[in-house]
Every structure is written in C-alpha cells, then in structure tokens.
C-alpha cells in the first residue's frame, strides 16, 4: 500500500494490483461503496480482482468518510487519486469503477476528468433524489432504537478512511433511516449542481457499463434507468433480484457480470486503438 498527499495535506493510501499480462490494456481506478460513511478500499473479492487484472492494472482508491469529512472533501479525494494515477500511467486509458456510492464518485470523476469509460454497479449520478431525502423504510425501523447520544459517540473527532464496520454501518443506518444522510455529507443544498450530474452532462459521458437489481431496497433501480437513458454509449445489465449488492457473495452469476464488464472495457480499448483519448 502506497500513499499520496492531498492538497490539504492528508495522506491517502492506495493500492496498485498490476495486470497479469505484460502489456496492460489500461488502468481501472476503483472506488468502494458504503454510502460515503462506511466501507474499505479492499472490499473486492479475489475472484473479481482476478478477472479485472487479467489485462488491466487495478488501483484501489481510498477517500475520507462522512460525517467526519464533507462530500466536497470526499470528491476532492476521489479526484486526487485519479490525478495521481493519470501521472503514473500517462500512456494508458484510465477507467473508473465504483459500487453504490463508489459508483457515484466514479461518475463525478468521469464528469471532470479524462476518463475512457465507467463501470457503474448499482450506483447513482445525483443525490437530489426523493429516496435519499426521505427516511428509508428498510432502515427506519432498524434505526428507531438508536438514540442521538449513541450516534454522537460513534462519530470520530478526526478524519478517517475506514473504521469498524459495526460502528460505521450503524451511522449509515441512522443517517438513511432518519433522513440525515444529506446532513451527514455536510451538504447545504442537495439540489446544487456540483453534487448532481445533469441529463445534459450525461449525454456527453464516456461509455458506461451499468448493473442494478430491480428490487434494490437501498439505491433506487430507477437511478440506473435514468443514467442509461441519457448516456448514449451505455450497456445496462438489469438483474431480477431484490437485493442491493448482488455481488456480495461470489457466484456464477456475479462472475459472469464482471466478465461482461471487462469485455465492455476491451471493446472501448479496441475502438480507441489502446491510445489515450
């Protein structure tokens, strides 16, 4: 694990897993999920890493978590890792990949940086969405037993990039169940354009591979439909499941989806002749 230093002096760890083949086709920068509140960069199963790194270098990015850090800082961290990777691999096309909230970051990076393509697993392109502004029914009952005092004790005094899953997931449960998520991100106005990728901006997006379960109880399936509708070069894998992270457990189905995502990247590389755009 190596580290880079952000413009505000914070040390951000990152991990590079080199491609197994000598002549890599490109680089994938991966942003983990967890509602921007929990999670860790090394959450990809070895079976998925094995597929992704056949022909691509894989960079596991970290970022500071909310509520200890704001969405503005989290965005800057995501950008900082991408900029650093771009310097390291200036001759290769760079892709962003994220799951859930990590896909949101992957898309924000693609909006502002020279990204060759995006892999979006059950993510979203905006936060000004009714489902994110209201109490989540699934989490509401679970979080109703949590007192604000307990929650306050779980929030750290210093910035962090990961933490004990039980404590961090409890914060997320509370944030979504009590409609506090936007507040936890330090966002004054959820409708502000810097947090929401517009349909017009999506229309000029790089090729994007999308996966989402129809019955997702956490991130609305309609968000992926929205993304697919506006990104001209997009492929949408719709799964008939009532779960959020379908790939939490490695299965033949999940392996197949990752394989399709890699084939999608290969087509982009072939189309552009392997050169940076």
């Amino acid at each position: 694990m190596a580290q880079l230093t952000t413009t505000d002096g914070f040390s951000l760890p990152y991990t590079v897993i080199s491609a197994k083949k000598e002549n890599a086709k490109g680089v994938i920068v991966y942003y983990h999920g967890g509602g921007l509140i929990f999670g860790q960069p090394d959450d990809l199963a070895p079976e998925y890493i094995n597929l992704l790194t056949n022909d691509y270098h894989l960079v596991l990015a970290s970022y500071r978590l909310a509520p200890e850090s704001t969405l503005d800082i989290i965005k800057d961290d995501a950008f900082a890792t991408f900029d650093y990777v771009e310097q390291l691999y200036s001759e290769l096309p760079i892709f962003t990949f994220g799951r859930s909230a990590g896909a949101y970051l992957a898309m924000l990076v693609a909006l502002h940086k020279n990204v060759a393509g995006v892999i979006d697993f059950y993510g979203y392109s905006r936060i000004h969405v009714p489902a994110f502004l209201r109490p989540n029914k699934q989490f509401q009952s679970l979080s109703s037993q949590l007192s604000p005092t307990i929650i306050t004790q779980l929030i750290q005094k210093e910035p962090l990039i990961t933490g004990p899953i039980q404590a961090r997931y409890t914060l997320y449960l509370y944030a979504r169940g009590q409609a506090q998520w936007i507040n936890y991100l330090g966002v004054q106005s959820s409708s502000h354009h810097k947090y929401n990728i517009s349909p017009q901006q999506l229309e000029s997006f790089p090729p994007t591979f999308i996966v989402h379960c129809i019955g997702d109880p956490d991130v609305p399936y309609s968000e992926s439909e929205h993304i697919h509708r506006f990104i001209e070069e997009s492929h949408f894998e719709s799964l008939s499941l009532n779960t959020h992270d379908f790939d939490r457990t490695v299965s033949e189905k999940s392996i197949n989806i990752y394989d399709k995502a890699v084939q999608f990247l290969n087509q982009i590389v072939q189309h552009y002749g392997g050169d940076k755009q």
Side-chain angles (χ1 to χ4, degrees):
M1 184 182 290
Q3 292 190 334
L4 62 94
T5 305
T6 63
T7 52
D8 64 344
F10 189 83
S11 292
L12 269 187
Y14 68 93
T15 301
V16 178
I17 303 171
S18 297
K20 284 177 276 187
K21 293 182 182 173
E22 191 175 336
N23 295 316
K25 291 181 178 179
V27 186
I28 301 168
V29 182
Y30 171 71
Y31 299 96
H32 70 83
L36 307 175
I37 291 174
F38 70 98
Q40 59 280 330
D42 60 349
D43 67 352
L44 283 170
E47 291 88 345
Y48 304 149
I49 291 174
N50 191 47
L51 271 173
L52 295 168
T53 56
N54 262 326
D55 290 292
Y56 298 89
H57 300 308
L58 177 64
V59 180
L60 308 178
S62 62
Y63 52 86
R64 281 169 275 188
L65 300 174
E68 290 82 359
S69 298
T70 65
L71 180 51
D72 288 323
I73 289 171
I74 294 168
K75 279 176 56 187
D76 286 346
D77 284 354
F79 293 168
T81 300
F82 183 88
D83 290 343
Y84 191 78
V85 170
E86 195 171 39
Q87 290 178 344
L88 287 177
Y89 301 100
S90 58
E91 300 305 312
L92 290 173
I94 305 176
F95 303 91
T96 57
F97 167 34
R99 300 195 289 182
S100 197
Y104 171 60
L105 294 179
M107 295 192 73
L108 287 175
V109 172
L111 176 64
H112 296 280
K113 307 291 179 178
N114 184 23
V115 174
V118 179
I119 302 176
D120 159 25
F121 275 33
Y122 39 89
Y124 44 95
S125 60
R126 53 192 181 175
I127 62 168
H128 190 65
V129 176
F132 296 153
L133 305 177
R134 300 170 184 158
N136 177 288
K137 288 180 181 177
Q138 175 182 285
F139 300 139
Q140 195 170 17
S141 56
L142 292 168
S143 64
S144 61
Q145 306 302 316
L146 299 168
S147 72
T149 306
I150 293 172
I151 293 301
T152 302
Q153 290 171 351
L154 293 177
I155 298 172
Q156 304 301 301
K157 291 180 172 59
E158 299 295 328
L160 73 165
I161 55 162
T162 190
I165 183 64
Q166 191 170 358
R168 302 308 300 182
Y169 189 67
T170 300
L171 281 174
Y172 180 67
L173 270 182
Y174 185 81
R176 291 295 308 281
Q178 302 300 311
Q180 292 297 311
W181 187 59
I182 299 296
N183 292 337
Y184 272 31
L185 298 182
V187 171
Q188 301 300 316
S189 171
S190 64
S191 61
H192 196 288
H193 66 85
K194 67 179 175 178
Y195 308 123
N196 299 277
I197 302 171
S198 71
Q200 292 76 17
Q201 289 169 326
L202 287 174
E203 285 173 357
S204 59
F205 245 60
T208 302
F209 183 91
I210 307 160
V211 190
H212 214 128
C213 296
I214 292 172
D216 189 332
D218 193 341
V219 175
Y221 174 79
S222 56
E223 286 309 295
S224 283
E225 289 182 309
H226 169 80
I227 293 165
H228 179 52
R229 185 180 308 124
F230 289 103
I231 299 180
E232 186 177 348
E233 283 190 72
S234 61
H235 175 82
F236 189 9
E237 289 284 333
S238 173
L239 305 179
S240 299
L241 297 168
N242 296 318
T243 188
H244 176 53
D245 47 348
F246 75 93
D247 54 340
R248 181 187 299 183
T249 303
V250 178
S251 66
E252 189 177 337
K253 179 180 282 243
S254 66
I255 288 285
N256 180 253
I257 293 293
Y258 275 80
D259 188 53
K260 285 183 178 180
V262 170
Q263 298 309 318
F264 184 82
L265 299 189
N266 290 344
Q267 287 177 347
I268 298 170
V269 172
Q270 190 174 9
H271 180 74
Y272 290 111
D275 297 322
K276 280 201 74 164
Q277 294 180 62

